[in-house]
Amino acid sequence: MSELHFNQWVNYTGPANWYSLSYPSSWVKDEKDGILQLSSPEGNATLTISCHWKSLLPQSNCESNLQIDFDQFFVKHRNIQRRGPLAIEHESIGYSGEAIIQKHTSPWKESLSWLPFFQKHWHHWKLWLIRERSIQMVATFFYDPQFHEDFFETVQRILHSIQLSLNPANPPELFANEVLYLAQKKFPLVKSHLIPGFRLNFGESEINLTNFYRAYLATPEFFEKNITTALATILQINEWGDAQTEPDLSQVQERIMPILLSRESWENNFPNFVGESWVANLAILYVVDESNAYWYIHDKLLRKWNIDREQLHQIALKNLDRYFDSNQIELICMSREDGPNMIIQSKPDAYNASQVLSKSFYLQARKFLGSEFLAGVPNRDFLLALSLSEAQIIEKIQHNIASDYLTMDHPLTDQLLVVTADGVSEYCGVS
């Protein structure tokens, strides 16, 4: 591709890392329920792209695996013509025609009805089916005939940039079945079954699989190890007695740690555990650190320990500073010639994001970033701090933080934070 492509086009990776492509930076990108929509700046043309596990896509009874039943795809259609394949490494075929697009309960029709010029009249379209192993992509270009030539070349360049994964990750439903199989294989005496809401019932526990799935997408090679370790830990905790679940404060005081959660996660999943709402839709909770896990501190433990939340908070912050000293998790300064402008931690850790609460962290970071700086905590295990003077890259960092928030396990917030001597607030942009 030309130099113009690399300088003015944006790279994009689709859900579950099933595909990647490039598109012009001037085009408007929207995502909804796994469907990518790219629209021209004027809104005169739209390209929608969705990927499906092959067995889930409505197909006709034709012998070819790249046939699609247009009666299931459109409300009405006419003038359909078959077109040639794309010049890409994957199997493909093209079609063109006209159709009436209307909202429908079918996800396939929904993927085509999500258009800025949605109306119940005939639309011109070109459609391509692209397949690699179990993944089949549907790319549909809707256009006004009088502007067709203006945009078709750009659409072709987008399509020719598509790369489907040669080793695609399982979709969520197949992933859940693999987790269930592993649970039954490794722990045959523990009753386990899948339940609605992407969860696994394992013995006396209900396990939300969302974070495990995100971790699987990032590092599929650790799937069995991660799941087996988590199930073994849960099984061990389920066997604890009162001495373990309601210990005296002196037994656990040095292992109490603060941890950040999204406010939604706290309210929906941990409403009876000690915490408070914080900035940027975050919440601060408290856990007792174990060798391979941690457990949340319940309200009734504070009553047993005869301390309030503020006292618990101070204990946790003191332990947080000591934890990072003893575990040798260092701050890495990424510098330019005129001095450091960014700080990250040297390795992932469950308490990395919590460091934004620490006064000790602030005092270290301000030596390099100034008395006021930005911080990003897209997930539990990651913290980035950035000088406010780096205005030219703040927007890019903000985009990266938002992107990581959507893909990382244990997501926290897609917002940047402002850290000062007086505390932490949400970044609202340049005034």
Side-chain angles (χ1 to χ4, degrees):
M1 291 187 178
S2 67
E3 183 178 354
L4 178 65
H5 173 89
F6 291 106
N7 290 340
Q8 300 182 11
W9 284 48
V10 178
N11 296 323
Y12 170 83
T13 300
N17 302 321
W18 279 357
Y19 72 94
S20 63
L21 55 76
S22 300
Y23 65 92
S25 59
S26 60
W27 281 44
V28 179
K29 175 179 71 73
D30 285 305
E31 297 173 85
K32 179 181 179 183
D33 299 330
I35 301 166
L36 172 66
Q37 175 181 289
L38 299 172
S39 301
S40 63
E42 302 81 8
N44 297 324
T46 298
L47 178 66
T48 64
I49 294 176
S50 57
C51 256
H52 315 281
W53 204 256
K54 188 175 61 176
S55 60
L56 302 179
L57 193 69
Q59 294 183 351
S60 68
N61 294 323
C62 298
E63 294 183 2
S64 172
N65 286 324
L66 278 178
Q67 294 287 341
I68 190 164
D69 189 341
F70 290 104
D71 289 334
Q72 295 186 49
F73 219 71
F74 297 116
V75 175
K76 293 182 180 180
H77 55 80
R78 67 187 183 191
N79 300 331
I80 292 181
Q81 298 182 37
R82 182 166 174 167
R83 304 290 182 179
L86 296 166
I88 57 177
E89 61 180 303
H90 312 291
E91 185 181 3
S92 65
I93 191 171
Y95 296 90
S96 64
E98 300 172 59
I100 289 180
I101 306 160
Q102 190 176 38
K103 287 191 179 294
H104 195 272
T105 55
S106 164
W108 322 117
K109 291 180 181 178
E110 180 69 20
S111 71
L112 300 179
S113 65
W114 183 40
L115 296 167
F117 46 84
F118 164 71
Q119 293 180 26
K120 297 179 183 179
H121 60 237
W122 291 99
H123 294 281
H124 292 264
W125 55 265
K126 294 180 185 289
L127 182 147
W128 295 266
L129 300 177
I130 307 168
R131 192 186 69 171
E132 181 64 52
R133 292 172 169 77
S134 297
I135 300 300
Q136 185 154 298
M137 172 182 284
V138 181
T140 314
F141 172 45
F142 293 91
Y143 60 91
D144 185 325
Q146 63 178 319
F147 298 111
H148 176 266
E149 295 301 324
D150 296 339
F151 300 111
F152 187 54
E153 180 181 355
T154 299
V155 168
Q156 283 188 307
R157 292 181 68 188
I158 295 173
L159 296 174
H160 284 104
S161 74
I162 288 173
Q163 292 186 324
L164 296 183
S165 173
L166 299 180
N167 187 25
N170 285 335
E173 56 269 31
L174 293 185
F175 170 82
N177 288 330
E178 288 292 323
V179 172
L180 176 61
Y181 171 78
L182 193 59
Q184 294 172 337
K185 176 184 176 182
K186 297 290 186 179
F187 307 93
L189 300 181
V190 181
K191 292 183 179 180
S192 54
H193 61 274
L194 298 175
I195 55 179
F198 200 39
R199 292 178 297 164
L200 173 73
N201 187 291
F202 182 70
E204 300 177 3
S205 300
E206 290 186 4
I207 306 168
N208 189 312
L209 298 179
T210 300
N211 283 323
F212 292 105
Y213 185 63
R214 288 191 172 198
Y216 159 71
L217 294 179
T219 54
E221 66 273 18
F222 296 132
F223 163 74
E224 183 168 337
K225 177 183 177 182
N226 289 343
I227 297 298
T228 302
T229 300
L231 294 178
T233 301
I234 291 169
L235 192 60
Q236 178 185 3
I237 292 175
N238 284 343
E239 295 174 349
W240 282 0
D242 290 345
Q244 288 80 29
T245 59
E246 298 183 16
D248 292 334
L249 178 60
S250 60
Q251 295 176 288
V252 297
Q253 182 165 347
E254 293 187 351
R255 293 187 284 120
I256 294 173
M257 300 284 283
I259 199 157
L260 295 180
L261 279 182
S262 70
R263 189 178 304 161
E264 179 183 11
S265 180
W266 175 40
E267 293 173 347
N268 293 339
N269 302 320
F270 306 98
N272 296 320
F273 293 94
V274 181
E276 66 169 336
S277 294
W278 202 44
V279 300
N281 294 316
L282 292 168
I284 306 171
L285 277 76
Y286 305 91
V287 299
V288 175
D289 186 63
E290 303 288 351
S291 56
N292 293 315
Y294 52 74
W295 50 275
Y296 290 90
I297 295 176
H298 199 282
D299 288 333
K300 64 182 179 181
L301 271 180
L302 287 194
R303 294 191 291 271
K304 176 179 179 177
W305 294 343
N306 194 29
I307 61 174
D308 59 25
R309 197 206 66 81
E310 181 56 33
Q311 291 172 298
L312 180 69
H313 184 71
Q314 294 305 318
I315 292 172
L317 290 183
K318 181 179 178 181
N319 291 338
L320 181 67
D321 289 338
R322 186 171 60 247
Y323 175 88
F324 278 89
D325 289 339
S326 62
N327 285 275
Q328 297 182 333
I329 301 177
E330 301 174 347
L331 298 179
I332 298 176
C333 298
M334 304 174 66
S335 63
R336 302 183 308 173
E337 293 182 359
D338 55 351
N341 58 25
M342 191 181 302
I343 291 175
I344 60 173
Q345 285 112 334
S346 58
K347 60 183 179 180
D349 189 89
Y351 304 110
N352 274 350
S354 300
Q355 266 202 297
V356 76
L357 301 168
S358 168
K359 190 70 173 180
S360 175
F361 167 76
Y362 169 76
L363 293 175
Q364 292 182 64
R366 76 172 184 180
K367 296 177 183 177
F368 307 103
L369 305 179
S371 59
E372 296 186 3
F373 55 87
L374 297 179
V377 287
N379 88 324
R380 181 197 65 182
D381 300 351
F382 182 80
L383 167 65
L384 175 148
L386 172 72
S387 170
L388 270 167
S389 65
E390 302 298 326
Q392 71 276 16
I393 64 169
I394 288 177
E395 184 176 351
K396 181 178 180 180
I397 293 295
Q398 193 163 25
H399 172 80
N400 291 343
I401 292 293
S403 178
D404 289 343
Y405 166 77
L406 294 175
T407 58
M408 288 180 164
D409 58 296
H410 298 89
L412 293 181
T413 180
D414 59 356
Q415 302 298 309
L416 287 175
L417 309 176
V418 180
V419 185
T420 71
D422 297 324
V424 182
S425 61
E426 186 174 335
Y427 176 65
C428 297
V430 181
S431 59

